[in-house]
Amino acid sequence: MKRRKTMLAAAFCFSFCFGTLMNVLFVPGFEPHQSHDAARQRSFIATQSSRLHISDDFAPGTASVPESITTAALSELRLQIRGRLGEVLRYQSVVEDAAARPLERRRLMDLERANSWNRYRAAEDHHARGTRATRRAAAGGSGGALGCGDLERANSVQFVGSGYTKAVYRAELNSSFSVALKSVDLSGHDMESCVKRYSSTEDCYRLASFKIIKEMTLMERLQHPNILKLYGYCYQDSNDIKDTVTAITELGSPLEMIQLLQTPWEERFRICLSLARLLHYLAHSPLGSLTLLDFRPRQFVLVDGELKVTDLDDASVEDMPCSASSPTDCSLEFPARNFTLSCSSGYCQGINEKRNLYNAYRFFFTYLLPHSAPSALRPFLATIVNSTGELLWDTDETLAHLEKVLDMYRNGHYLLNVTQRHKTKYKQMEDMTIPGENYRCWPSYQHDRCMLSVYSVDEAIGVCESHAQCRAFIMTNQSTWTGHQLVLFKTGFSTMARDKGKLMYIRLDS
Ligand SMILES: Nc1ncnc2c1ncn2[C@@H]1O[C@H](COP(=O)(O)OP(=O)(O)OP(=O)(O)O)[C@@H](O)[C@H]1O
């Protein structure tokens, strides 16, 4: 397995570092993080889809397709490709309809579906005419977005992870800026099973690459701090396949649930809050209420402690139709629990939002929220966990409760007995530290010493008194994302040293 990953990394590095870039195609005018000009969006998708030439002559007996493959199988593959194209085009165009009621939105989406193939063909004609101009424009730059030229200069390409369809690599663009490169994993499960069935690497590649194109489209359309940023993309010809696509995105680190359980509560709370903010945005997104059909921790990464969704290829805005006479139409099924939602105006009410919320509960909240939380916050957290586990709240209410907990934590309202006087006296010394004399505690911000976050010096004194080893502590000048200060607790103070900005406290009964 390890050897395979190393070989893949080497192959990837070869194609990006040394591969010919003569055929590189930039898309001028694609500038992430700028205004959502509808026309620019349309041309982005039109160009994307027109690169994936879906031929009407796609039939058995052509050079790339063995005769043993049946016409039915090929039609099936072609339908799948068209289906994915239609979906991408819908995401590109439903933006103005987000405020529409579900029924109207559905009608518009059906119309969109009917028109998508015609629009695709028109886009392809347009592309054929525009390709030469595009190549010429490429020489002038990529409109501010990252592109193939940046990949050509990338260093230290390393395999990060892969799933059914995609492989992800880390690449250094310069000494202080690294990105993630996402491309179709040619030896991944999706490609292998497709090629086995249809014997056409090129067409299977097109099918798989639509997952990346869908993801890029959603990253572009959905701008939120908890959705990974798309920096750009690159189309280039490889030896066997024309116009292979690589998305260039923000780099994160994969979520390790076991590791997360060992991190301080404040960091775990941050992940749950990030997730609630994301789900709130998705429920009210410009594309409609969006659900993550494949919702597992591996679809998320951490960027500087903030949770961000990376895998958007299974996201959907489809509403679920129902009839008032058949209550089971709106059943939401999970391995350990089923729910039946209400049916109104022919659609299951809030089903996308509720699916996301229950998944957030079962994969994140239940593990990360209550465990080692400050005791005064536990009743609030228990209510959040119970209410999401029972699907009693929507995302608005869930987020409001989590924001309230953040506010209490930030302002030290979780501290019990604020009027209580500590028995031991401490001496304060400015600009001093204790370099050694560490002990370990849990859950520390550093594994080889006891570093915890506190709201105030009073809280730090309380912590020191609850640790048998503690004889002194240093208020560092570092703080956490909530503004809490990081404090180093020490077993003694025999090795004091000057350190500007630090405040040292020593126990006078030591
Ligand atoms: N931007 C990123 N930074 C770091 N790691 C990432 C990034 N994007 C994805 N990964 C890692 O790569 C893995 C594969 O990516 P992704 O989930 O997009 O592929 P996939 O083929 O769609 O997977 P799946 O089979 O889960 O649908 C992820 O599980 C994640 O751990």
Side-chain angles (χ1 to χ4, degrees):
M1 185 69 177
K2 212 169 170 182
R3 197 165 150 256
R4 184 177 152 244
K5 300 293 179 212
T6 317
M7 282 166 66
L8 272 174
F12 189 91
C13 186
F14 180 81
S15 86
F16 278 101
C17 304
F18 309 109
T20 172
L21 292 173
M22 293 297 286
N23 293 315
V24 163
L25 301 176
F26 289 87
V27 180
F30 171 55
E31 296 163 30
H33 326 309
Q34 293 189 6
S35 72
H36 290 112
D37 173 64
R40 184 167 61 78
Q41 294 290 348
R42 260 186 280 280
S43 83
F44 164 50
I45 300 302
T47 320
Q48 300 282 336
S49 42
S50 64
R51 288 177 195 288
L52 296 154
H53 318 281
I54 303 168
S55 164
D56 276 339
D57 313 328
F58 187 46
T62 60
S64 60
V65 183
E67 298 209 10
S68 57
I69 306 300
T70 65
T71 312
L74 287 168
S75 310
E76 193 182 295
L77 178 58
R78 192 164 74 172
L79 267 179
Q80 286 180 47
I81 297 174
R82 285 183 183 196
R84 287 193 189 171
L85 165 70
E87 193 188 9
V88 168
L89 289 172
R90 278 201 314 283
Y91 284 124
Q92 186 275 319
S93 59
V94 291
V95 67
E96 298 86 2
D97 312 325
R101 302 220 325 265
L103 266 174
E104 293 165 78
R105 198 162 72 234
R106 157 88 29 187
R107 191 178 57 78
L108 289 164
M109 285 171 82
D110 287 345
L111 276 175
E112 191 56 47
R113 217 173 310 215
N115 288 334
S116 65
W117 184 247
N118 294 339
R119 283 209 287 126
Y120 164 69
R121 297 303 308 187
E124 190 165 37
D125 289 348
H126 174 79
H127 173 65
R129 286 195 301 275
T131 298
R132 264 196 305 272
T134 307
R135 282 177 194 267
R136 268 200 311 276
S142 56
L146 296 180
C148 299
D150 301 281
L151 295 193
E152 193 185 6
R153 290 185 287 277
N155 283 312
S156 313
V157 180
Q158 275 174 359
F159 176 81
V160 178
S162 62
Y164 262 50
T165 315
K166 295 162 262 163
V168 180
Y169 295 83
R170 173 204 167 97
E172 253 179 41
L173 296 193
N174 63 44
S175 58
S176 60
F177 187 52
S178 295
V179 293
L181 307 178
K182 225 181 225 201
S183 52
V184 171
D185 186 355
L186 295 179
S187 49
H189 177 274
D190 252 9
M191 275 299 285
E192 273 184 359
S193 60
C194 177
V195 173
K196 199 165 156 197
R197 181 160 166 71
Y198 302 108
S199 303
S200 170
T201 307
E202 185 129 11
D203 290 301
C204 285
Y205 178 85
R206 280 174 201 152
L207 182 68
S209 68
F210 262 117
K211 287 202 171 184
I212 294 181
I213 294 169
K214 173 178 172 183
E215 208 160 271
M216 293 201 298
T217 306
L218 289 177
M219 281 182 186
E220 242 288 275
R221 308 252 65 176
L222 305 170
Q223 296 285 313
H224 187 265
N226 299 109
I227 297 177
L228 223 62
K229 285 193 173 43
L230 177 68
Y231 291 142
Y233 52 85
C234 167
Y235 279 91
Q236 61 188 341
D237 295 345
S238 78
N239 288 344
D240 306 327
I241 304 165
K242 224 170 146 297
D243 283 348
T244 63
V245 60
T246 300
I248 310 169
T249 74
E250 200 173 4
L251 178 70
S253 41
L255 273 191
E256 298 289 346
M257 277 320 246
I258 306 286
Q259 249 172 38
L260 277 184
L261 292 174
Q262 295 160 22
T263 58
W265 175 81
E266 202 179 317
E267 297 307 306
R268 282 182 277 118
F269 175 70
R270 185 180 189 183
I271 289 170
C272 295
L273 181 66
S274 307
L275 185 56
R277 286 175 176 165
L278 171 70
L279 298 192
H280 180 263
Y281 174 79
L282 294 183
H284 305 284
S285 96
L287 303 175
S289 179
L290 202 135
T291 194
L292 302 174
L293 291 172
D294 187 5
F295 192 121
R296 289 170 295 156
R298 52 172 288 141
Q299 318 296 3
F300 299 87
V301 291
L302 287 182
V303 180
D304 298 330
E306 197 71 19
L307 186 81
K308 301 202 181 202
V309 61
T310 165
D311 190 351
L312 286 167
D313 63 37
D314 285 310
S316 166
V317 288
E318 295 289 313
D319 294 310
M320 193 187 276
C322 56
S323 69
S325 56
S326 170
T328 50
D329 281 356
C330 293
S331 70
L332 200 49
E333 290 172 9
F334 297 97
R337 189 79 203 264
N338 294 340
F339 297 90
T340 304
L341 304 181
S342 61
C343 177
S344 169
S345 310
Y347 288 94
C348 299
Q349 287 307 294
I351 195 156
N352 288 346
E353 179 174 5
K354 295 276 169 126
R355 186 185 292 108
N356 286 345
L357 271 172
Y358 191 77
N359 279 324
Y361 157 81
R362 73 185 179 118
F363 287 115
F364 290 90
F365 295 171
T366 188
Y367 298 113
L368 302 182
L369 268 184
H371 178 54
S372 74
S375 51
L377 297 180
R378 282 184 201 159
F380 297 94
L381 297 168
T383 307
I384 294 171
V385 173
N386 291 340
S387 303
T388 48
E390 293 296 325
L391 283 185
L392 300 179
W393 293 342
D394 57 12
T395 51
D396 295 23
E397 207 167 347
T398 308
L399 180 59
H401 279 83
L402 282 158
E403 296 284 5
K404 185 177 162 200
V405 171
L406 172 64
D407 190 64
M408 290 167 76
Y409 186 76
R410 256 196 182 134
N411 294 301
H413 295 160
Y414 61 95
L415 294 167
L416 303 168
N417 305 326
V418 274
T419 51
Q420 173 201 309
R421 294 238 158 265
H422 297 294
K423 288 186 215 100
T424 320
K425 290 258 176 291
Y426 284 75
K427 182 179 173 190
Q428 180 196 311
M429 296 169 84
E430 280 182 25
D431 299 329
M432 295 295 282
T433 192
I434 304 164
E437 299 174 77
N438 287 304
Y439 64 93
R440 288 185 180 182
C441 66
W442 189 87
S444 176
Y445 279 81
Q446 289 187 3
H447 78 279
D448 59 344
R449 56 199 64 197
C450 185
M451 184 186 256
L452 302 172
S453 76
V454 297
Y455 171 70
S456 59
V457 173
D458 244 18
E459 188 183 358
I461 292 175
V463 173
C464 188
E465 291 191 6
S466 69
H467 291 178
Q469 311 94 312
C470 183
R471 294 286 170 271
F473 60 86
I474 320 292
M475 303 288 289
T476 71
N477 37 16
Q478 295 162 262
S479 50
T480 64
W481 69 281
T482 60
H484 274 45
Q485 216 171 338
L486 287 173
V487 182
L488 266 168
F489 294 90
K490 301 285 181 172
T491 56
F493 40 88
S494 57
T495 56
M496 285 188 257
R498 292 205 66 79
D499 194 346
K500 191 124 187 73
K502 306 266 168 73
L503 260 183
M504 183 174 80
Y505 287 81
I506 54 174
R507 281 179 73 136
L508 290 179
D509 65 347
S510 301

